[in-house]
Amino acid sequence: MSGRMLAEVEVFGPRSCQVQPHADEEWSVSSVSRSATSGGTGRVVEEFTLKGGDGTPSALQSGDPKADHVFAYDQRHVFQLSRAAGQGCVCERIEAAGCVVQEFSADTESVVVTFLVDDVPTLRDIVDDLQSEGDTVKLRRLLEDTPAETDRPVVLDRAKLTTRQREVLGRAHEMGYFEHPREATAGDVADALDISTSTFTEHLAAAQRKLLDDLLDSC
């Protein structure tokens, strides 16, 4: 066993990602692959796949000059774009920490990335760094590579959450906010709770930080 951990992190409102803006309400990004161009041009070629809709992706309808439609199959559309390297996007920030992005998906609000990380301090540093790239960062899943007989349960102390924070988390989960693709937006959940969207995201971020502290401290 390597002792490494598999982390799945969601970044809301990524600022430097050039792939995520091509998702729309019906079509989500299901995968991305990247390759540096030859000749030392300092550019990166990315190919991403949109899937999930019955009609035509808005990225195809608009004829976006930044992304070329290169392939289609089984209600999936593959696009290719070229961009400058070193823009500090989510994937590049994770790679800068010595990790390799294994999976990538995105909808209109966020991107979800999966990667292997050596230890908890490195994961903390990555999460802290991603905070500057997105509005909110959420650790969706963390799997530890340990023998079954040595697995330790993770204890999450719900008492650390305020009544309002538990209510916000519960309603968001109930409405499918944490699903990917998301079944409800932040605005939808905020309306159901009769609060503003900014208040909802503040309560959610505070609750997630408390639970994340418990989760990581148990590793």
Side-chain angles (χ1 to χ4, degrees), residues 22 49 89 96 114 184:
H22 293 88
T49 301
C89 63
T114 303

Side-chain angles (χ1 to χ4, degrees), residues 1 22 32 48 80 102-103 113 129 139 142 172 187 202 209:
M1 294 290 183
H22 293 88
V32 171
F48 61 93
Q80 185 181 94
Q102 295 189 346
E103 296 180 10
V113 287
D129 185 44
L139 180 63
L142 184 63
E202 288 171 5
R209 171 56 65 181

